[in-house]
Amino acid sequence: MSSIYKRGNTWTANIFVMKNGQRRRKTKSGFKTKAQATGWASEMEVAKQNDTIVLNSKLLFGDFYDNWFNTFKSPTVSKATVKWYQYVSATIREYFPTTKLDRLDRVKFQQFLNDFGETHALTTARKMKMLIKQVAVAAIADGYISKDFTYNTRVTGLDSKDTDLKFLEEPDMKALADYIESKPIQTRAVTDMMILTAMQSGARYAEIAGLEWTDVDFDSSLIHIETTWDQVYHELKPTKTPSSVRDIDMPTQYMTELYDWYTLHPETRFVFETKNTMPPTSAAANKQLRRDLDDIGATKVITFHGLRHTHASWLLSHGVDLQYVSERLGHADTSITLSTYSHLLQTKRTSEINKSINLLSNL
């Protein structure tokens, strides 16, 4: 059953449907002609018969998001991931304070992405869209909306740090390793040992910080990655992904130094532990890395995570098998490794350019 009437210069259409034992109304106004209003009402009648109609809702976008998160996500995600969802919630409530869920459309969401991208990194904007898309899918499944308002919208954002700044070239990589190894093991900083471990293993900060002596196999010259250190809550937690659980083969020279380190710290729980019996923070590790890079006169200043990029880039540039490098880094598949480390070290890039030009010149 529907009703069509004129309001001012435009037409309005109403249809009525029983929902959960209650008579509910769905309204749309602004039609320029009665025929348009009638056509919409007919479409809604068909949807009503097919049980696909979406009723008008007074539910705010922010309220639906929080309800969905508390019900479906909060019990299953890590504490670190919770912070991301909380950040998305705060952003939604700031940008869409009074927006009803069923009033969202692709235009409004694209405008939001455009505005958000003006002040945030591209990677942050991509994650924001990904998490909100989950809510859109849930809202469709629950019958609150009929279309995905995130579909085919484009993410924009500030350019991240240039790829070349994320890893060290081979001369600086070797100089950094030599510099740390020149420091007597008895007085060497804990963070220097973490830096050396990152260069030799390609492991993440949280994986290295979470290493316990039981994770070190001196006989087989490997370290076992099974947990990560949460520096916010001061606790061990599972690895980033199941594929991140892995054994990493380490060079004999490094394992010799690590054994010397063990003889100096046999009673500690963590391989790299400060006086407060906890691993150093990422801030402390980054501070030490910047100091070391300054001391060797490095051409680039990178973050601790950049040591992971340095490790992977160096192996790939020297022809190490992609599958092995991917497994060493703990990636789920080689496509992640390819997309992240498609670049080569500068010396390798120059060599490949010259090789290509010489080959093409002989055509």
Side-chain angles (χ1 to χ4, degrees):
M1 179 179 179
S2 61
S3 63
I4 312 295
Y5 57 90
K6 193 171 186 179
R7 179 184 293 172
N9 294 324
T10 60
W11 289 82
T12 298
N14 286 327
I15 72 161
F16 299 91
V17 63
M18 294 300 295
K19 190 76 170 180
N20 298 326
Q22 295 181 337
R23 189 169 184 263
R24 302 283 300 277
R25 179 177 65 179
K26 184 174 181 67
T27 303
K28 186 171 183 179
S29 57
F31 295 106
K32 294 181 179 181
T33 66
K34 183 177 181 180
Q36 290 177 338
T38 302
W40 177 85
S42 298
E43 291 178 3
M44 293 301 101
E45 289 292 346
V46 173
K48 182 170 65 174
Q49 296 300 321
N50 294 332
D51 198 26
T52 59
I53 192 168
V54 177
L55 297 176
N56 297 339
S57 172
K58 295 182 180 180
L59 188 62
L60 291 175
F61 179 28
D63 289 341
F64 179 81
Y65 178 90
D66 288 344
N67 291 337
W68 167 80
F69 167 72
N70 291 328
T71 304
F72 294 98
K73 289 296 181 179
S74 182
T76 61
V77 298
S78 68
K79 293 178 179 178
T81 304
V82 166
K83 289 185 175 294
W84 253 105
Y85 282 102
Q86 291 173 338
Y87 172 62
V88 174
S89 175
T91 303
I92 288 174
R93 292 192 176 278
E94 178 182 357
Y95 197 90
F96 301 103
T98 61
T99 303
K100 303 292 193 300
L101 178 61
D102 60 1
R103 295 298 181 183
L104 272 173
D105 56 32
R106 294 177 60 251
V107 173
K108 291 178 182 177
F109 187 66
Q110 184 63 66
Q111 290 172 341
F112 159 71
L113 290 177
N114 294 344
D115 292 343
F116 188 82
E118 290 182 359
T119 56
H120 294 80
L122 183 60
T123 53
T124 303
R126 284 173 177 164
K127 190 156 189 175
M128 176 68 67
K129 177 185 174 180
M130 178 190 71
L131 295 181
I132 292 180
K133 183 177 181 63
Q134 295 178 12
V135 183
V137 172
I140 294 172
D142 292 342
Y144 286 99
I145 58 177
S146 60
K147 295 181 180 180
D148 180 2
F149 56 82
T150 70
Y151 173 73
N152 207 27
T153 52
R154 294 178 177 273
V155 173
T156 61
L158 302 175
D159 290 336
S160 59
K161 190 188 302 181
D162 187 87
T163 301
D164 286 344
L165 296 179
K166 292 184 177 181
F167 66 96
L168 298 176
E169 299 292 348
E170 186 169 335
D172 284 343
M173 179 186 180
K174 290 186 175 181
L176 178 60
D178 290 343
Y179 178 61
I180 292 177
E181 290 171 347
S182 71
K183 300 178 183 182
I185 194 74
Q186 295 83 358
T187 58
R188 190 178 300 174
V190 180
T191 45
D192 266 335
M193 286 299 294
M194 294 180 72
I195 292 169
L196 193 61
T197 304
M199 281 196 295
Q200 297 283 10
S201 68
R204 305 172 178 90
Y205 157 79
E207 295 172 339
I208 294 172
L211 283 174
E212 300 177 276
W213 284 119
T214 53
D215 298 318
V216 179
D217 187 338
F218 288 108
D219 293 331
S220 300
S221 294
L222 60 82
I223 58 176
H224 180 64
I225 303 295
E226 189 171 21
T227 56
T228 61
W229 175 248
D230 188 325
Q231 61 180 330
V232 176
Y233 294 96
H234 296 164
E235 64 183 19
L236 290 173
K237 65 179 185 178
T239 54
K240 186 175 181 181
T241 61
S243 60
S244 294
V245 176
R246 64 200 187 279
D247 290 332
I248 304 178
D249 297 297
M250 301 296 286
T252 301
Q253 180 180 344
Y254 167 83
M255 294 301 292
T256 299
E257 291 206 0
L258 189 62
Y259 185 80
D260 292 339
W261 181 260
Y262 170 69
T263 60
L264 296 171
H265 308 86
E267 303 300 326
T268 62
R269 173 190 176 188
F270 295 102
V271 176
F272 309 113
E273 187 174 296
T274 61
K275 293 181 180 179
N276 65 0
T277 70
M278 289 188 292
T281 64
S282 59
N286 276 300
K287 184 176 180 180
Q288 183 64 39
L289 177 58
R290 287 193 296 270
R291 187 184 298 117
D292 288 342
L293 292 174
D294 183 62
D295 288 345
I296 67 172
T299 57
K300 299 176 183 177
V301 177
I302 65 171
T303 63
F304 191 90
H305 192 73
L307 297 171
R308 177 173 167 86
H309 296 314
T310 299
H311 176 87
S313 298
W314 189 80
L315 291 178
L316 291 171
S317 70
H318 284 76
V320 177
D321 180 68
L322 176 66
Q323 179 68 42
Y324 173 74
V325 175
S326 181
E327 293 173 357
R328 189 174 178 87
L329 295 174
H331 285 164
D333 55 64
T334 56
S335 63
I336 299 175
T337 315
L338 277 172
S339 63
T340 307
Y341 303 106
S342 57
H343 57 279
L344 298 173
L345 297 178
Q346 183 60 47
T347 53
K348 182 65 175 178
R349 286 198 297 267
T350 301
S351 173
E352 294 302 307
I353 290 172
N354 293 336
K355 184 189 299 183
S356 298
I357 295 302
N358 290 334
L359 287 173
L360 292 171
S361 298
N362 293 325
L363 284 177

